[in-house]
Amino acid sequence: MQFVIKRVLAAIPVVFLTSVIIFSLMRLLPGDPITVMAGQSQSDASPELLQQLRHQYGFDRPVYVQYGLWVQRALSGDLGYSVYNRLPVWDVLRPRILPTAQIGLTAWILAILVSLPLGAYTAVRMNSWVDWLGTALALIGAAMPYFLTGGLFIYFVAMRGGMLPASGFVSPFVDFWQSVRTTILPALTLTFALIAVLTRQARSSFAETMQLAYIRTARAKGLGEGAVVFRHAAQNAILPVVTILGLQLGSLFSGAVVTETVFAVPGVGRLLVDAILSRDYAVVQAVVLFITLSVVLANLLVDIAYGLLDPRIKQS
């Protein structure tokens, strides 16, 4: 508990600096929500009316005053009011969390199930054709951008094959099987790049661990290769992979921005894009805050997992 408290306290400056940066960057963009709304409605609003609306939403105040008021409201649970949607920010953000979480967790689980066995197998069969093939596929996956992978899935699987929907999202509470169908392609798009990173890390970690003395001792005792790899080597080799899993959560969110736009998924990533284009300051700040807290929580869980996977870390 003391360790968790220290990690939470250490995360406070990260969240604070992130909020300051995104708050400042949004104000540096040309235009404001009032100007964008007036342009989209193509109305001949008078400068007096625009100034009145800016005063109503507090955009005419100094930036540091706006930031202080936003922090004060956020600490009390009020994330502000969406100028574009005319709704509280939490009401706008809440329904977008489920699609992003469902697709992201599916991609995470699929990547773990594929990359760990593949990385271990290629490490044991180093310099074989399986190792070369796995390395080549990992490099291809790491080099392909999300929009290209998603476009190929849409063309071959959805349009040519007609096997899965090309776009949209259905909640599992509405139709479970249709929800699974709409989740597969976006999740595979995120998984493809994540598998590439995790497989290379798993291969390197297993290859290094397999050279240690206690592995040679296990083989000398007559244990099979499967028992040596998964019962003895895996516990040490998996630690760097767990680290990458925590760090890659941020990449999943950045990939969700592109993937949800390609597949027209109403998630957090697409909401962020729409909010930036409409200069909806409150929504952008809330989404970035949500992503920051998610990444901080994931890294906290990774640190806790270290103690569970390796007793030496727990004792230290």
Side-chain angles (χ1 to χ4, degrees), residues 264-282:
V265 176
V268 173
R270 191 178 178 190
L271 175 64
L272 180 60
V273 174
D274 295 339
I276 292 175
L277 294 177
S278 61
R279 305 295 191 275
D280 201 343
Y281 295 159

Side-chain angles (χ1 to χ4, degrees), residues 97-113:
I97 296 176
L98 176 61
T100 300
Q102 181 171 320
I103 293 172
L105 289 176
T106 303
W108 231 21
I109 294 172
L110 288 175
I112 294 172
L113 293 178

Side-chain angles (χ1 to χ4, degrees), residues 129-141:
W129 68 270
V130 177
D131 184 24
W132 288 107
L133 179 61
T135 302
L137 292 177
L139 291 174
I140 293 173

Side-chain angles (χ1 to χ4, degrees), residues 247-260:
L247 296 175
Q248 286 298 310
L249 182 63
S251 299
L252 284 179
F253 276 112
S254 63
V257 173
V258 179
T259 304
E260 291 175 2

Side-chain angles (χ1 to χ4, degrees), residues 269-296:
R270 191 178 178 190
L271 175 64
L272 180 60
V273 174
D274 295 339
I276 292 175
L277 294 177
S278 61
R279 305 295 191 275
D280 201 343
Y281 295 159
V283 175
V284 174
Q285 291 154 193
V287 171
V288 173
L289 181 63
F290 169 76
I291 294 175
T292 304
L293 292 175
S294 299
V295 173
V296 168

Side-chain angles (χ1 to χ4, degrees), residues 87-98:
L87 291 170
V89 171
W90 177 242
D91 292 341
V92 177
L93 177 61
R94 182 176 53 198
R96 303 297 189 104
I97 296 176
L98 176 61

Side-chain angles (χ1 to χ4, degrees), residues 184-251:
I184 291 176
L185 289 186
L188 287 177
T189 302
L190 294 175
T191 302
F192 200 63
L194 186 57
I195 284 176
V197 176
L198 292 180
T199 300
R200 288 187 299 168
Q201 180 61 54
R203 177 189 178 278
S204 175
S205 182
F206 271 98
E208 182 179 353
T209 304
M210 296 297 289
Q211 305 302 318
L212 297 179
Y214 79 97
I215 298 296
R216 293 194 296 269
T217 302
R219 283 172 172 163
K221 291 181 178 179
L223 294 178
E225 194 68 18
V228 171
V229 172
F230 293 104
R231 288 176 54 189
H232 293 271
Q235 191 170 7
N236 283 332
I238 203 175
L239 289 177
V241 181
V242 172
T243 304
I244 298 297
L245 277 174
L247 296 175
Q248 286 298 310
L249 182 63
S251 299

